[in-house]
Amino acid sequence: MRPPRILPTRRVLADGALWAVLAAATGYGFRDAGGAASPVVDLLVPLAVLAVTVPLSRSRPAAAVLAVNGLCAVGLADSATPANAHVLSLAALSCLLGVRVTRAAGPLVVLAACLGIDVAACALLQVPAVWWFYTLTVVPAALLLPWLAGRHWRGRRELVRDGWRLAQSLEERQHLVAERARLAERADIAADMHDSLGHVLSLVALRAGALELSPDLTGRDRADVAELRSTIADAVEQLRQTVTVLHDPPKAETGATTRAGGPSVKDTVADLIGRAAASGIPVSWEQRGAVPVLPPLVERGMYRVVQEALTNAVKHAPGRAIRVGIDHATDHTRVSVVNAAQRGDGPAGQTAGRAVAAGGRGLTGLRERVTVLGGTLHTGPHHGGFQVTAVLPHQAPARPRTGPTATGSGGHTDHRTAPEHAERLAAVRRAARRRTAAALAAPVAAAAFFLPAAAYLAWQLTTGVLPPSRYDALEPGRTRTELGPLLPARAFPYPPDHARSAPRPADATCAFYRSGRDLLNQVDLYRLCWSHGTLVAKDTLDAHRE
């Protein structure tokens, strides 16, 4: 057996407060009606209907509006006045309909159905003109305007809720930014350790190897130098393993591609080559073209290309001549590092080339760095040796981020997520425009229909008025021509049934005129009966007579 559902206390209190307000308005209307109102029909039944429709408006707001509109339709049968307190309840539930229903098509059908019911009630009850005026102006206003206000309120709540969701999403993205910056810094450390320490250790190993071949060393010294060279080789291998651990996955952006500024040391390419030559490496270099002022990123990239190529040449082809060429053009710089093959060791050179090509992190990181700068990197065998060629543009292009965050450690914008944000913003703007269009179009359409009808009805009510002073001046037995200046331009076209059925002189035609210009309350009617163009009778009919 399922336990009974317990409604949240907040909802119960809110519904109770709304019912109390609407019940107070209903009670005030009942008291204002006086003794003519029925306690059961005019008080208890409406209170019961409100007690059902107020909580029903949460799950079936359209049904609640139709039920309360039924109370307004029944109120049109009142012979005293069409106005009643139920129109306030109708406005409140219509507002809740706009708040609790997202789409506009269904509520508009409900509002049109309510108006159709009220108009049908006026036709069936054959109510006076004032009732028609009330039905075509006050009741539609109580239906449409609160509904539009409710939709506006709902739109603002959705906008605020989406704003908080976006703020939460941005906060989560900030955490991802921080994590991304941490990983990028680890990648920086990995790339710098490989580029700088690997190069230095390779030079130390080379000098140790050269020292091992010195004829001045004793056997013990030569063994110590060999052990030193082995220790350095182990350190290089441990460094490679450390770089592998610290570096990002292949799809992630390396720190080497995100750091800005010049080299970590103040060396130039000339210093780098001079230090290598001093270590015994057979390296020569040539620089062609006017040396431009290079951006720090491009200068760093050129330095790293030469450094990595020298490191690989020393590691995989020791003792071979190395040629470095730097060609400066107008908009780019071409860096070429070639280690030549020695005579008779073509296969060995090919083996060295394959070893370099299949090497570890060095060339892969170098290729990433050059690609990010907008350049190209080509590596491969060259006449029995190996060649590394990089073309670096002088202006590094603005690059889109490929990570999941909105901004990285370098402050670059994430263009991948921009379409998602733009789409959400466009959706919110479209919804706001639709609500604005509905808020403007619905009153305009209603005004185009109701205002002409209300104006025409008001014109009929006010032009068929015969002031009491002129009525007293009308004397039976005088002709229409004589009394024409005292009569209104037209008669009142909507006299009640009791006025139409009142006894009249034989062979007489009677016309009715209102005694005042009041549009919302009934006024006494004047009846003038004519026979062959002569006024034969005049009398006053009580407006409240049934």
Side-chain angles (χ1 to χ4, degrees), residues 485-508:
L486 300 177
L487 297 177
R490 55 187 52 82
F492 177 57
Y494 307 113
D497 292 338
H498 73 275
R500 292 179 184 272
S501 60
R504 66 183 65 187
D507 298 330

Side-chain angles (χ1 to χ4, degrees), residues 264-313:
S264 57
V265 294
K266 301 301 182 181
D267 291 346
T268 63
V269 174
D271 296 334
L272 177 64
I273 295 176
R275 189 168 59 251
S279 300
I281 300 176
V283 57
S284 61
W285 77 296
E286 182 180 3
Q287 187 169 224
R288 292 176 291 271
V291 180
V293 178
L294 298 177
L297 284 175
V298 177
E299 185 177 359
R300 177 187 176 92
M302 184 173 62
Y303 183 93
R304 293 303 190 194
V305 168
V306 176
Q307 185 184 51
E308 182 63 28
L310 290 178
T311 301
N312 286 336

Side-chain angles (χ1 to χ4, degrees), residues 283-485:
V283 57
S284 61
W285 77 296
E286 182 180 3
Q287 187 169 224
R288 292 176 291 271
V291 180
V293 178
L294 298 177
L297 284 175
V298 177
E299 185 177 359
R300 177 187 176 92
M302 184 173 62
Y303 183 93
R304 293 303 190 194
V305 168
V306 176
Q307 185 184 51
E308 182 63 28
L310 290 178
T311 301
N312 286 336
V314 170
K315 178 179 180 182
H316 298 287
R320 299 181 185 180
I322 302 174
R323 299 192 310 273
V324 179
I326 300 178
D327 298 324
H328 296 291
T330 304
D331 57 351
H332 69 276
T333 294
R334 183 177 182 272
V335 181
S336 177
V337 181
V338 180
N339 62 295
Q342 296 179 1
R343 291 184 178 181
D345 64 350
Q350 296 175 1
T351 303
R354 286 194 298 268
V356 176
R361 182 61 218 164
L363 289 180
T364 302
L366 186 62
R367 189 179 305 277
E368 292 176 357
R369 181 190 299 275
V370 173
T371 301
V372 167
L373 293 176
T376 58
L377 180 70
H378 298 284
T379 60
H382 179 74
H383 299 299
F386 197 81
Q387 181 178 22
V388 176
T389 302
V391 178
L392 302 172
H394 293 169
Q395 295 295 329
R399 58 186 176 87
R401 296 282 300 221
T402 57
T405 58
T407 56
S409 59
H412 298 287
T413 301
D414 185 357
H415 298 284
R416 183 183 67 83
T417 57
E420 177 186 355
H421 294 168
E423 182 177 355
R424 291 179 60 184
L425 179 59
V428 172
R429 287 179 173 174
R430 286 195 299 268
R433 283 195 293 265
R434 286 195 298 268
R435 285 193 294 267
T436 303
L440 295 177
V444 170
F449 176 76
F450 297 127
L451 292 183
Y456 179 69
L457 179 59
W459 177 77
Q460 288 183 322
L461 293 177
T462 55
T463 55
V465 174
L466 179 61
S469 59
R470 294 188 179 184
Y471 174 77
D472 295 337
L474 299 177
E475 298 178 358
R478 301 182 64 179
T479 64
R480 185 184 292 271
T481 303
E482 296 174 341
L483 300 179

